[in-house]
Amino acid sequence: MSASGSVLDQIIAGVREDLARREARTPLADLLAHVAEAPAPRDPMPHFRARGSSVIAEVKRRSPSKGALADIPDPAALAAAYERGGAAAISVLTEERRFGGSLDDLRAVRAAVDLPILRKDFIVETYQLVEARAAGADLALLIVAALDDDTLRRLHDEAQELGLTVLVETHDEAEVERAVALDAELIGVNSRNLKTLDIDPDTFGRLAPLIPDDRVKVAESGIFGRPDVERFVHEGAGVVLVGEALVRDGDPESAVRAMTGVTP
């Protein structure tokens, strides 16, 4: 797993501290009661499996690698622009310390769009999955590098029981092998090394052939325009997840539209 003191370790330590505060404030039973009354989650997979490039457009204020990316006073308005541009789904960063996100952002986006919404966070406990559903998420991210095999399997199964579609994120060959063994339907390849934060644009092309063709492959990080999308689609991506390039663009609706419909 990750080296002691890596960026990923530091992020997860903070996530666990913040999670403990939320658990003390809102019991799991209260969240489950809310979920029981919530509408069924939206299914993104038909769109993701369609020909072309499905874009997951991200609401992202900052990152550990780049610092502040964009002032987003109204995440709902940004998400609505993404929806008008043809995004297949919206990703909302909810990690607070390093990314400046929150579940309030996710709730605001849920109220504004009809698209499936991904809770993008460092999920390490069941409580976070229930939080995601209670806030209106339809998908949840599980990062292989952050979880041992037993926890990964348990959270994957629990997410599915809640009706969530799981995006299983990988970074290297060993992690891809673990994701494939999990029978994950949606497998992401993140070109950013979570231990060093460096991007290797060749990562997706190297790892995608290891993922069976009956799974949907998601390219993450290092996507700044249509040429990048075309490259990743050519290498086997059915979905691209784009954050920085969209939040920094003055016209996010047009920026999303430019990245959609790219075929091999």
Side-chain angles (χ1 to χ4, degrees):
M1 303 299 287
S2 57
S4 177
S6 72
V7 174
L8 179 60
D9 288 334
Q10 294 166 20
I11 291 173
I12 290 176
V15 163
R16 288 190 178 280
E17 290 179 10
D18 294 340
L19 172 59
R21 282 194 288 271
R22 296 198 305 278
E23 286 180 302
R25 186 169 62 242
T26 306
L28 179 62
D30 290 357
L31 288 178
L32 288 169
H34 187 78
V35 169
E37 300 174 356
R42 295 155 176 81
D43 182 5
M45 296 309 295
H47 198 315
F48 287 173
R49 289 190 177 278
R51 184 173 175 81
S53 57
S54 293
V55 176
I56 302 176
E58 195 157 79
V59 177
K60 182 178 185 179
R61 289 189 170 87
R62 65 175 187 258
S63 73
S65 59
K66 296 290 184 68
L69 297 174
D71 181 25
I72 305 175
D74 189 349
L78 177 59
Y82 289 158
E83 184 173 37
R84 292 192 302 271
I90 307 293
S91 170
V92 181
L93 255 302
T94 58
E95 197 279 334
E96 300 175 30
R97 299 189 184 202
R98 301 294 186 102
F99 293 88
S102 70
L103 284 164
D104 285 341
D105 285 349
L106 197 155
R107 295 184 190 99
V109 170
R110 173 75 290 154
V113 302
D114 291 325
L115 296 175
I117 297 175
L118 166 68
R119 181 184 185 181
K120 185 90 174 290
D121 210 319
F122 298 80
I123 293 176
V124 292
E125 297 291 349
T126 303
Y127 187 93
Q128 293 163 287
L129 295 173
V130 181
E131 275 184 323
R133 276 286 283 118
D138 309 285
L139 303 94
L141 178 73
L142 293 181
I143 301 173
V144 175
L147 304 164
D148 62 42
D149 281 339
D150 289 344
T151 305
L152 178 62
R153 169 68 67 179
R154 175 175 59 80
L155 292 176
H156 182 268
D157 292 349
E158 289 173 349
Q160 290 187 317
E161 289 170 7
L162 286 164
L164 292 164
T165 298
V166 184
L167 171 58
V168 180
E169 180 177 293
T170 65
H171 302 82
D172 60 29
E173 288 81 357
E175 291 176 16
V176 168
E177 183 177 348
R178 294 173 64 198
V180 171
L182 192 66
D183 291 328
E185 184 179 17
L186 189 63
I187 299 179
V189 173
N190 193 339
S191 297
R192 186 182 301 282
N193 185 317
L194 289 186
K195 299 171 187 175
T196 66
L197 301 183
D198 294 332
I199 288 181
D200 177 358
D202 296 327
T203 300
F204 184 86
R206 188 179 75 249
L207 299 183
L210 306 178
I211 302 172
D213 289 337
D214 63 342
R215 319 296 175 90
V216 174
K217 306 172 190 181
V218 184
E220 306 175 48
S221 296
I223 302 167
F224 297 101
R226 188 181 179 93
D228 298 317
V229 177
E230 291 175 340
R231 172 185 177 176
F232 288 130
V233 169
H234 179 72
E235 292 174 342
V239 182
V240 293
L241 193 156
V242 191
E244 178 183 341
L246 297 180
V247 299
R248 286 185 160 175
D249 194 290
D251 188 350
E253 178 181 342
S254 294
V256 170
R257 186 172 292 113
M259 294 184 182
T260 59
V262 180
T263 55

